[in-house]
Amino acid sequence: LGTADSDMDASTPCVACGAGFYAAAGSTVCVQCAAGYVDHDSDASTACDGNVSGAVCAAGTYAAAGSTRCTNCSAGFADLDSNPATACVACAAGRAAVSETQTSCTPCRAGTADLDANASTACVACAVGTYSAEAATNCTVCPAGEADADSDPSTACVSCGAGYHSVAGALSCRQCQAGWADLDSNAATA
């Protein structure tokens, strides 16, 4: 056990199999532990975990072929298919996996954004006067002629009505002063 007659020559000794490999009695080859299975005890005479007991790497981890341990998905990566034989996948911009062993990439909530395009860091709250949709990578300033009337960056800015105007990033629409008129009906101009 743990050795193989790799040259199939009875006059030469069997070769010891290394960690991450397995050989049953009478083997002619050292069999590498399959991806998703690990050689926890680094003993080539025992089967790779998962081949006998059914134990494999848990969701949020993976093991390449020949591994002696399960590897956690790093922050910013996720085990999207929950398959321990496949590597973790980097989360796309606008999504985050801020801790290890994640099985999904969480989209930034509306009103927050992935400002640094780094999936291992948390999404950042947008300031009042701006807004963002789910999975955003930036906070959008309310343009002139619109206002963040509810001071909630998770909702869209509202247009100012006729006779009102606003500057970019405004929290409210301002009524035209007495003696002034909104002649161009453009709330973006004073």
Side-chain angles (χ1 to χ4, degrees):
L1 287 176
T3 61
D5 184 12
S6 59
D7 63 3
M8 293 189 239
D9 182 349
S11 67
T12 60
C14 294
V15 175
C17 299
F21 289 83
Y22 166 74
S27 292
T28 58
V29 294
C30 296
V31 178
Q32 188 175 45
C33 295
Y37 297 92
V38 293
D39 184 8
H40 278 293
D41 60 7
S42 296
D43 181 351
S45 67
T46 59
C48 299
D49 291 346
N51 292 341
V52 174
S53 64
V56 294
C57 296
T61 66
Y62 71 98
S67 294
T68 57
R69 67 178 183 85
C70 298
T71 302
N72 290 341
C73 293
S74 300
F77 291 78
D79 182 11
L80 299 178
D81 61 4
S82 295
N83 180 346
T86 59
C88 303
V89 176
C91 295
R95 299 178 177 277
V98 296
S99 61
E100 292 186 341
T101 67
Q102 296 295 301
T103 56
S104 65
C105 297
T106 305
C108 293
R109 293 184 333 271
T112 67
D114 181 14
L115 298 178
D116 62 3
N118 181 345
S120 66
T121 59
C123 301
V124 178
C126 295
V128 295
T130 67
Y131 68 97
S132 72
E134 183 178 278
T137 57
N138 61 24
C139 299
T140 303
V141 175
C142 294
E146 295 183 9
D148 185 9
D150 60 3
S151 296
D152 181 353
S154 69
T155 59
C157 303
V158 295
S159 295
C160 298
Y164 289 82
H165 67 94
S166 72
V167 296
L171 301 182
S172 63
C173 297
R174 297 180 61 181
Q175 189 173 24
C176 293
Q177 296 177 13
W180 292 78
D182 183 11
L183 297 178
D184 63 2
S185 297
N186 181 350
T189 59

